[in-house]
Amino acid sequence: MAAPVGPKKVKRYSNEFKIQAVKLSSHPDIQTQDVAHALDIHPFMLSKWKRDYAKEGSAGGECCRL
């Protein structure tokens, strides 16, 4: 199988998208992996966003970079 040629494309998500994903996954009845699957993102990425939000975003909301 041939290796892909050229740079790997990286999907960038807006802060609003990240914050919404974190808020969805914060619901006690919903698992992080279910939210990640529904949004077509890797669960580890969503977990990282949750950690970042807990560190920086809990007080500021949309003003913070995730």
Side-chain angles (χ1 to χ4, degrees), residues 15 18 52-53 56-57 61-66:
N15 283 339
K18 294 176 186 180
D52 292 347
Y53 185 78
E56 302 172 13
E62 282 75 25
C63 70
C64 301
R65 286 182 57 112
L66 289 177

Side-chain angles (χ1 to χ4, degrees), residues 21 23-36 38 50:
K23 288 180 180 179
L24 281 172
S25 65
S26 299
H27 194 277
D29 296 332
I30 302 174
Q31 293 185 349
T32 298
Q33 67 184 20
D34 293 335
V35 173
K50 287 172 70 171

